[in-house]
Amino acid sequence: MNLLATLRIALNALRVNKLRSMLTMLGIIIGVAAVITMIAIGAGAQARVEDQIKSLGSNLMIVMPGSTTSSGVRLGAGANQNLTEDDAAALVREIPEVQVAAPSSRGTRQIVAGGNNWSASVYGINPDYLEARDWPLASGRIFEPHELAGSAKVALIGQTVATQLFGDMDPIEQSIRISNVPFTIIGVLERKGQSMLGQDQDDVVMVPLSTARNRLFGNIQGKLRRVGTIQVKVREGADMKQAEESVREVLRQRKRTPPDQEDAFTLRNLTEILQAREESSRIMALLLAAVASVSLLVGGIGIMNIMLVSVTERTREIGLRMAVGARAKDILTQFLVEAVTLSLIGGLVGILLGAAGSFLVAHFAGWATRLSPESIVLAVGFSAAIGIFFGFYPARKASRLLPIQALRYE
């Protein structure tokens, strides 16, 4: 008997007991739908973390001022404004693994353009900052050397600021006022989206570092080259741990920190932090899929149970088929095909429900989901494997019946 004829017989047998077949498939349908939905949610979460890693920039470390003590009271991190542009230059000069070290200062200011105004973060930067953050321009140009040296009143703005102040109008060459200081917009940054902390990275205005220090944030005597942070980008392929140790060693030497004292700065390796978060997201996705797979196991047990009942009910039929020449292999194939067909049909319906569930979760819950072809292929293959695994024992039991005993069965 060929496989096509066996499949036709199996489908006819399932059609005779439609309700029972549907109820048997229900476990597989629920299991596959749950696995597809959970994998889509987990993949969406992982993709979101990957997007956050890309938005921050690759191989990135951030150096921030450390804490300080005033009148016996230890102030928090960042209170000791002891980082300078010279420190950034030293990192690039003395550490081969460092591609760029971009000093920057930050403050929040009210931005006015015509009749519109908006509060945004204002950064004092140089072009190395954009390279460190992998942040290209959507339009316009970056700061020129004479603008950086001469505290020029030019600015780059993020997409959020551009939308809030100018709507659909092109902001290039438009004027804005920051703390009543007029600036000319020379560039618009590409969209970055939210950071891993949920902050809008596009809600920014960037001006030359010297401009921020001399015209916006105050020119404090003795702190002419002080900066708030240094963004350190390590070259591709370099050892991040080794680069981190080198950065720490150079800065400790420059700050003349004794061996028995803690660092006068704070160093954060964002790549390690985000990689740990990505790994946590991946483990959570696998955990969700594993929990959902339990329902597939239950569905497989249901298939085995129903197939055993079917073998018992059709014992006389099996005896008649053997009596007219059917071999044990034919009986085994028939019942195995029935089990696999039940499982595959349930798997296909489950895939449709899982895809719909992923869409509904993304639409109503606002969670990021990603339905991948690999998860669909995995679900179909897993469904077939469950049909074979749980259908083999009932099929083998049917194939080993003796014709005489089968015909006498009441």
Side-chain angles (χ1 to χ4, degrees):
M1 183 181 296
N2 60 39
L3 185 60
L4 186 61
T6 303
L7 179 61
R8 190 183 305 114
I9 294 172
L11 290 174
N12 288 333
L14 295 177
R15 196 179 299 116
V16 170
N17 297 292
K18 294 179 182 178
L19 181 59
R20 188 169 70 181
S21 298
M22 289 177 61
L23 292 175
T24 304
M25 289 187 293
L26 192 60
I28 297 296
I29 292 172
I30 294 174
V32 170
V35 169
I36 291 289
T37 304
M38 292 300 102
I39 290 178
I41 292 174
Q46 189 172 340
R48 187 171 181 179
V49 173
E50 290 172 356
D51 291 340
Q52 290 173 346
I53 293 174
K54 292 177 183 177
S55 72
L56 285 174
S58 58
N59 300 337
L60 188 64
M61 290 184 285
I62 297 181
V63 184
M64 297 178 294
S67 62
T68 187
T69 302
S70 177
S71 302
V73 178
R74 293 191 66 191
L75 304 179
N80 185 13
Q81 297 294 323
N82 60 348
L83 295 178
T84 68
E85 292 182 61
D86 295 332
D87 292 332
L91 294 177
V92 177
R93 184 175 61 250
E94 299 180 27
I95 305 175
E97 294 89 352
V98 173
Q99 180 176 330
V100 292
S104 64
S105 296
R106 177 186 177 278
T108 301
R109 295 292 185 272
Q110 200 71 18
I111 318 299
V112 179
N116 298 323
N117 70 91
W118 184 253
S119 178
S121 296
V122 179
Y123 285 81
I125 67 162
N126 60 31
D128 287 343
Y129 182 88
L130 300 180
E131 182 179 351
R133 293 288 309 278
D134 294 329
W135 204 339
L137 295 179
S139 60
R141 63 177 179 84
I142 61 175
F143 306 131
E144 296 180 352
H146 70 273
E147 293 171 334
L148 294 167
S151 300
K153 292 180 285 187
V154 291
L156 309 174
I157 62 174
Q159 296 283 343
T160 299
V161 175
T163 301
Q164 294 295 331
L165 295 181
F166 299 101
D168 297 330
M169 187 172 62
D170 185 5
I172 301 298
E173 297 301 327
Q174 298 293 327
S175 294
I176 58 174
R177 295 194 308 278
I178 307 175
S179 298
N180 291 323
V181 179
F183 283 81
T184 299
I185 298 173
I186 62 170
V188 179
L189 298 161
E190 282 280 6
R191 188 175 299 279
K192 274 283 189 178
Q194 288 189 347
S195 69
M196 63 179 180
L197 299 178
Q199 298 173 337
D200 185 0
Q201 298 183 90
D202 301 307
D203 193 9
V204 295
V205 176
M206 297 185 181
V207 301
L209 184 56
S210 59
T211 306
R213 188 164 46 224
N214 298 330
R215 300 182 186 273
L216 297 179
F217 300 156
N219 187 355
I220 302 175
Q221 184 66 29
K223 296 187 177 181
L224 297 180
R225 295 179 63 82
R226 299 291 186 190
V227 295
T229 60
I230 300 175
Q231 312 271 337
V232 180
K233 182 179 178 66
V234 178
R235 297 184 188 280
E236 193 68 34
D239 187 341
M240 285 293 293
K241 273 314 264 188
Q242 179 61 42
E244 181 181 348
E245 292 302 319
S246 298
V247 168
R248 178 171 280 108
E249 181 180 350
V250 169
L251 290 178
R252 284 182 66 88
Q253 289 176 356
R254 290 186 59 82
K255 304 307 172 189
R256 297 181 174 85
T257 306
D260 58 341
Q261 288 188 11
E262 63 181 17
D263 296 338
F265 54 88
T266 302
L267 179 59
R268 291 184 181 176
N269 188 337
L270 294 187
T271 301
E272 285 189 353
I273 295 172
L274 291 174
Q275 284 176 348
R277 185 172 176 183
E278 184 180 15
E279 183 64 25
S280 299
S281 177
R282 186 183 296 111
I283 292 173
M284 182 59 66
L286 292 175
L287 180 61
L288 290 173
V291 171
S293 298
V294 174
S295 55
L296 277 177
L297 180 64
V298 174
I301 294 173
I303 288 178
M304 177 185 285
N305 182 43
I306 293 301
M307 293 305 298
L308 286 172
V309 172
S310 180
V311 169
T312 303
E313 290 180 346
R314 295 158 61 188
T315 300
R316 288 180 62 83
E317 174 194 334
I318 294 169
L320 286 172
R321 293 192 61 203
M322 286 183 169
V324 296
R327 295 169 297 175
K329 184 177 71 172
D330 297 327
I331 303 298
L332 175 68
T333 303
Q334 177 189 344
F335 281 89
L336 200 55
V337 167
E338 287 185 25
V340 172
T341 302
L342 276 173
S343 187
L344 281 177
I345 294 175
L348 293 175
V349 176
I351 288 171
L352 295 176
L353 290 180
S358 302
F359 173 78
L360 293 176
V361 167
H363 182 71
F364 291 106
W367 294 356
T369 60
R370 176 178 287 183
L371 189 62
S372 63
E374 292 82 2
S375 65
I376 295 176
V377 172
L378 178 64
V380 172
F382 204 37
S383 299
I386 284 177
I388 294 172
F389 182 80
F390 287 98
F392 181 77
Y393 175 72
R396 184 169 177 271
K397 182 179 179 180
S399 68
R400 299 184 70 178
L401 289 174
L402 297 175
I404 297 300
Q405 294 178 349
L407 288 171
R408 289 178 177 176
Y409 184 80
E410 294 293 337

